[in-house]
Amino acid sequence: MKIKEIIAVLEEMAPLAYAEDFDNVGLLVGNSETESTGVLVCHDALENVIDEAVAKNCNLVVCFHPILFSGIKKITGKNYVERAIIKAIKNDIAIYAVHTALDNHSQGVNKIFCNALGLVNTKVLVPKQNFIQKLVTYTVPENANKVRKALFEAGAGTIGNYDNCSFNSEGTGTYKGNSESNPVIGERHELTETQEIKIEVTFEKHLQSCILKTLFANHIYEEVAYEIYNLENSHQNIGLGMVGEFETEMDEKDFLHFVKDKMISDGIRHSAFLGKKIKKVAVLGGSGSFAIRNAISAGADAFLTADLKYHQFYEAENKLLLADIGHFESERYTKNYIVDYLRKKILNFAIILSEENTNPVKYL
């Protein structure tokens, strides 16, 4: 099996189009045409993980955090990033990162976080913006069903928990072809009026090329009239963080002990107790201080995330319990999810969970 075939499965799990603009996801090191000997899944592709991959005969390392994140101008081995890259290249090991492509997925990092805590009735905390487009096109009634069906199959027309969504209206279309035209209905140089159906569908913007290709392939007109609009609607099923509920509320201190146990955290920093029960909880794996207001707006009793600074604890505003459980800890089970996903999709192939603990934070 070639590395590119494994990448195709990874992109089903975490489409690269879902990643944040600042991120660096996908194949970072290596050649996708190489035959894979095995996959090692880790949290961070550090030197010791590359050593583990060599020892276990895995020439593809799938990591959550990208080892190459910001720009790099030299590879001299002077820091941990450069040393890991040098070792990977020397040993013909490819590195693939998922990061925010999986963060933003409805079944990704934050759903995994919620599942670990047993939260139910979950929904996205910070829906992704500027990700939805609308296609408007026009065709004769006899062609409308074929066009709609093809567009739906290409990924258009999905809104939340519904698919095959479209709006259709009737009207009159006019056109007159020049001497180079070849009209399906009417004649050259003749003003033609015909009854048409206006079809409107929405789609995720990374599908635009596929949607247009599908439209042109299934439309009967020589020249297809269409318009594409960028929508300001947020995408309710894609985004960062998640909010859910416990079936049974609990006291604040019991809640934090419960989280510490479930997420295997050696220490939790938190804001002042408010003397209220915890039932609705917002989570955001990794650095999530930017979403404190979102958690408050969602009516959460508590917000679990990581990397909070001193003054950010004030932003709880006595409206919720704010807790920093640790960056690694908040994403702890992500690599397990990746392994399970790959093993279900790729049978009889070496998919190995890394045994290396790459958490750089230690506790007394």
Side-chain angles (χ1 to χ4, degrees):
M1 174 175 283
K2 290 187 176 182
I3 286 174
K4 69 179 182 182
E5 296 175 80
I6 300 170
I7 288 175
V9 177
L10 288 166
E11 291 186 8
E12 288 177 6
M13 177 191 73
L16 298 186
Y18 287 10
E20 295 297 307
D21 292 339
F22 64 79
D23 205 5
N24 189 30
V25 294
L27 186 64
L28 307 182
V29 176
N31 186 342
S32 64
E33 294 292 338
T34 302
E35 287 288 335
S36 180
T37 58
V39 181
L40 182 70
V41 180
C42 66
H43 204 82
D44 303 277
L46 305 180
E47 268 191 282
N48 58 333
V49 173
I50 303 302
D51 287 333
E52 183 184 12
V54 172
K56 295 178 178 177
N57 194 33
C58 295
N59 66 347
L60 173 59
V61 170
V62 176
C63 53
F64 178 65
H65 290 139
I67 186 68
L68 285 171
F69 188 74
S70 53
I72 184 169
K73 294 183 177 180
K74 299 178 181 179
I75 303 181
T76 60
K78 68 180 180 180
N79 59 45
Y80 77 97
V81 172
E82 294 176 10
R83 289 191 294 272
I85 298 305
I86 289 172
K87 182 163 286 189
I89 293 172
K90 280 184 175 180
N91 289 278
D92 292 324
I93 292 175
I95 301 176
Y96 185 98
V98 296
H99 206 208
T100 58
L102 191 56
D103 273 310
N104 275 313
H105 198 286
S106 62
Q107 300 301 313
V109 174
N110 296 293
K111 180 62 172 176
I112 297 164
F113 197 165
C114 287
N115 289 345
L117 298 176
L119 297 174
V120 297
N121 303 323
T122 57
K123 64 179 181 178
V124 172
L125 178 64
V126 188
K128 197 166 181 63
Q129 305 293 318
N130 304 313
F131 199 69
I132 303 174
Q133 295 182 325
K134 176 189 276 191
L135 168 70
V136 178
T137 191
Y138 312 80
T139 190
V140 291
E142 296 82 1
N143 184 225
N145 284 338
K146 180 181 180 182
V147 169
R148 272 194 300 268
K149 185 174 184 295
L151 291 173
F152 295 153
E153 290 175 352
T158 297
I159 303 175
N161 295 321
Y162 296 84
D163 55 29
N164 287 20
C165 302
S166 69
F167 184 80
N168 305 270
S169 52
E170 297 181 1
T172 302
T174 66
Y175 55 84
K176 181 170 71 172
N178 61 24
S179 57
E180 300 297 321
S181 68
N182 186 27
V184 175
I185 300 173
E187 302 293 336
R188 295 174 184 166
H189 307 295
E190 177 185 279
L191 179 62
T192 301
E193 290 189 4
T194 182
Q195 290 302 112
E196 292 187 327
I197 302 294
K198 178 182 181 182
I199 301 171
E200 302 178 59
V201 291
T202 59
F203 59 92
E204 295 176 4
K205 68 178 183 179
H206 66 284
L207 298 175
Q208 183 184 121
S209 177
C210 178
I211 294 294
L212 289 179
K213 184 177 179 179
T214 299
L215 173 64
F216 300 150
N218 290 274
H219 204 293
I220 66 169
Y221 283 176
E222 180 184 26
E223 295 289 347
V224 180
Y226 71 94
E227 301 134 33
I228 289 180
Y229 301 96
N230 292 317
L231 303 183
E232 294 185 1
N233 305 49
S234 58
H235 196 306
Q236 58 185 302
N237 285 340
I238 300 174
L240 296 169
M242 196 156 278
V243 61
E245 298 176 331
F246 288 119
E247 292 184 352
T248 304
E249 62 186 18
M250 60 181 80
D251 292 331
E252 292 164 305
K253 187 173 289 188
D254 292 339
F255 165 71
L256 290 182
H257 281 296
F258 172 81
V259 172
K260 186 176 180 181
D261 176 63
K262 290 294 182 180
M263 304 307 292
I264 317 177
S265 176
D266 289 324
I268 295 179
R269 299 184 302 138
H270 63 87
S271 60
F273 288 141
L274 302 175
K276 61 187 292 187
K277 298 289 186 179
I278 304 297
K279 183 173 178 64
K280 192 171 188 179
V281 179
V283 306
L284 200 155
S287 303
S289 60
F290 66 88
I292 294 173
R293 294 183 186 277
N294 298 83
I296 293 173
S297 296
D301 302 310
F303 179 36
L304 304 175
T305 188
D307 302 339
L308 296 176
K309 296 180 180 180
Y310 175 87
H311 290 93
Q312 289 168 340
F313 282 96
Y314 287 125
E315 294 180 29
E317 295 281 5
N318 294 321
K319 294 178 180 178
L320 50 57
L321 177 64
L322 186 57
D324 183 334
I325 74 167
H327 193 123
F328 179 90
E329 289 80 1
S330 68
E331 301 166 339
R332 174 180 295 281
Y333 301 112
T334 302
K335 63 181 182 179
N336 304 73
Y337 174 85
I338 297 171
V339 167
D340 290 343
Y341 188 94
L342 290 177
R343 285 176 177 170
K344 290 175 183 176
K345 294 288 185 176
I346 305 174
L347 305 178
N348 303 316
F349 194 79
I351 311 291
I352 300 172
L353 179 66
S354 174
E355 297 178 11
E356 295 292 329
N357 182 352
T358 58
N359 187 0
V361 181
K362 309 300 177 185
Y363 300 87
L364 282 174

